[in-house]
Amino acid sequence: MEKFSFDLQARDGSARTGVISTPRGDIRTPAFMPVGTAATVKAMMPESVAATGADILLGNTYHLMLRPTAERIDRLGGLHKFMNWHKPILTDSGGFQVMSLADLRKLTEKGVTFKSHIDGSKHELTPERSMEIQKLLGSDIVMCFDECPALPADRDRIADSMRLSMRWAARSRDAFGDRPGHALFGIQQGGLEKDFREESAKALVDIGFDGYAVGGLAVGEGQEAMFGCLDFATDMLPVDRPRYLMGVGKPDDIVGAVARGIDMMDCVLPSRSGRTGQAFTRHGVVNIKNARHADDPRPLDEDCTCPACSNYSRAYLHHVFRSQEMISGMLLTWHNLHYFQELMAGMRGAIAAGTFDAWQAGFHAQRAQGDIEPL
Ligand SMILES: [Zn+2]
């Protein structure tokens, strides 16, 4: 069986471009992963997600273990078959979402017990159970089970949490076992504290993983603090393995993270915003519900080749949003995912060409112009 591997092809400053190879297909990096929480990227057919240029999706262990359950998905042939997405899938460990969504959580050395936010049923997640669930789902890239405190938190709390996550990382590695063609990623923790990030990175490298995530960021610390942390945190991770920044982000967050050596990211923003009438464009965010679009026959972005921009006017997008028609979320989600993938493709090309600084200047200049003037 083809192995999981990472081929780093070019570097420009700290930014990198390459290809992650898996038996289910290649992932071009820097890569943006749309989020398919409940075995669907909301409002999108899987073939439409692929058409935007996505090489990989993210699935959520917490949601899928509760409904329809990992065991049922396994019986039905695994998550790829179940949701009709045959490219790579990365699953999170469930740890972060238990902490943010579940009721009556109880954290011990062994793991977390909690009540489902759906029906109140009681469940347990441990490193071993998280590895079992992600295996039942058939995930190509499996994440270690970890815990992360909301920021700000005091140093003792951050250190205790990080060290617990490192013990869980070792248990995750043991439970994952040897699965050719599948990858296990470790997750660096340590808040914004340089010494804890260093300690965490060393612990993970000692255990040994196929890739390394920077966890515990994008939890309310703000962009400046996040970039400040990435300035040192990314360099602590092995150069020859993919680096994944979890839960990021807005387009300018993504560009800044890539500039600091990140290879993979995921975020619900393009799909969630699509359903609330927000479109991401080269000129910044456009609120389609704004009355100024009501008579505007122009597309959202004249240079975008997505179906929403190729075939529909701002006036139509405004109308279907105001009328709460389903096509509104469908078209804006498609546009947003297309925009995010174009952004990644642009960065990959610029890094390969050694022109990433100029590309970044152009990115920021276009955004500074703002949206087109009203007619
Ligand atoms: Zn578009």
Side-chain angles (χ1 to χ4, degrees):
M1 188 193 246
E2 195 189 336
K3 284 188 178 155
F4 178 93
S5 63
F6 179 48
D7 179 21
L8 186 56
Q9 295 176 336
R11 299 169 75 170
D12 185 355
S14 294
R16 303 130 56 93
T17 184
V19 177
I20 298 169
S21 299
T22 84
R24 289 197 186 265
D26 290 347
I27 303 157
R28 296 161 291 174
T29 67
F32 178 79
M33 301 185 280
V35 177
T37 296
T40 169
V41 177
K42 293 187 202 308
M44 294 287 284
M45 299 288 281
E47 49 269 43
S48 310
V49 177
T52 66
D55 293 332
I56 177 170
L57 285 189
L58 181 140
N60 287 122
T61 284
Y62 172 79
H63 288 89
L64 296 172
M65 73 180 279
L66 297 179
R67 187 170 59 192
T69 77
E71 282 72 14
R72 178 169 287 153
I73 289 174
D74 178 49
R75 284 198 299 277
L76 292 164
L79 185 55
H80 296 82
K81 184 178 176 198
F82 187 56
M83 69 180 291
N84 188 32
W85 172 264
H86 299 284
K87 294 182 175 201
I89 294 175
L90 179 148
T91 45
D92 65 6
S93 72
F96 180 78
Q97 293 201 309
V98 165
M99 292 302 162
S100 52
L101 294 174
D103 299 323
L104 292 173
R105 303 175 301 270
K106 189 163 175 254
L107 178 71
T108 66
E109 182 68 30
K110 188 182 174 211
V112 190
T113 54
F114 61 93
K115 281 193 169 177
S116 160
H117 73 286
I118 299 168
D119 61 6
S121 57
K122 203 175 166 192
H123 298 268
E124 183 176 46
L125 260 181
T126 62
E128 293 75 19
R129 178 61 180 150
S130 177
M131 294 305 106
E132 183 183 24
I133 290 169
Q134 294 182 74
K135 185 176 182 180
L136 287 167
L137 296 174
S139 170
D140 303 283
I141 301 180
V142 171
M143 299 305 297
C144 271
F145 190 62
D146 70 337
E147 201 257 333
C148 104
L151 298 179
D154 64 47
R155 270 179 61 88
D156 286 349
R157 166 84 179 93
I158 292 168
D160 289 349
S161 169
M162 179 273 287
R163 287 170 192 145
L164 176 66
S165 289
M166 296 306 102
R167 296 192 293 277
W168 284 358
R171 282 167 55 192
S172 296
R173 176 83 263 178
D174 286 346
F176 180 82
D178 184 25
R179 299 178 60 207
H182 298 264
L184 179 63
F185 280 23
I187 305 173
Q188 182 200 44
Q189 291 290 352
L192 303 173
E193 311 294 316
K194 189 173 185 181
D195 52 341
F196 296 158
R197 287 274 166 192
E198 186 82 57
E199 182 182 331
S200 178
K202 285 201 171 99
L204 293 174
V205 171
D206 280 349
I207 299 166
F209 290 96
D210 304 298
Y212 294 85
V214 179
L217 294 181
V219 290
E221 74 280 9
Q223 188 188 71
E224 195 181 334
M226 180 175 82
F227 284 172
C229 183
L230 287 177
D231 280 335
F232 54 75
T234 314
D235 280 342
M236 297 169 179
L237 302 174
V239 170
D240 61 347
R241 300 292 157 92
R243 299 158 169 175
Y244 164 30
L245 178 59
M246 306 181 77
V248 171
K250 297 194 294 291
D252 52 331
D253 294 332
I254 289 176
V255 171
V258 167
R260 290 165 175 80
I262 294 294
D263 305 306
M264 305 166 70
M265 275 148 290
D266 77 278
C267 193
V268 296
L269 207 57
S271 41
R272 181 174 291 165
S273 298
R275 302 194 301 281
T276 59
Q278 283 198 318
F280 292 92
T281 75
R282 292 173 298 127
H283 301 289
V285 176
V286 175
N287 268 315
I288 205 66
K289 63 185 162 200
N290 193 311
R292 74 187 177 95
H293 305 297
D295 282 302
D296 197 330
R298 296 171 298 180
L300 197 51
D301 183 341
E302 281 178 346
D303 293 328
C304 179
T305 57
C306 89
C309 295
S310 303
N311 304 314
Y312 302 93
S313 62
R314 290 180 175 225
Y316 182 76
L317 296 172
H318 171 82
H319 161 68
V320 290
F321 180 81
R322 285 290 183 99
S323 309
Q324 300 183 333
E325 291 292 341
M326 280 192 279
I327 196 172
S328 171
M330 294 161 62
L331 289 173
L332 288 184
T333 301
W334 194 321
H335 166 81
N336 283 343
L337 289 176
H338 180 98
Y339 170 73
F340 272 58
Q341 295 299 341
E342 289 285 303
L343 188 67
M344 306 318 287
M347 286 192 285
R348 290 192 296 263
I351 296 165
T355 56
F356 188 52
D357 280 347
W359 184 94
Q360 284 189 85
F363 167 82
H364 291 294
Q366 275 190 323
R367 288 163 62 87
Q369 283 173 13
D371 191 25
I372 53 173
E373 293 294 320
L375 289 173

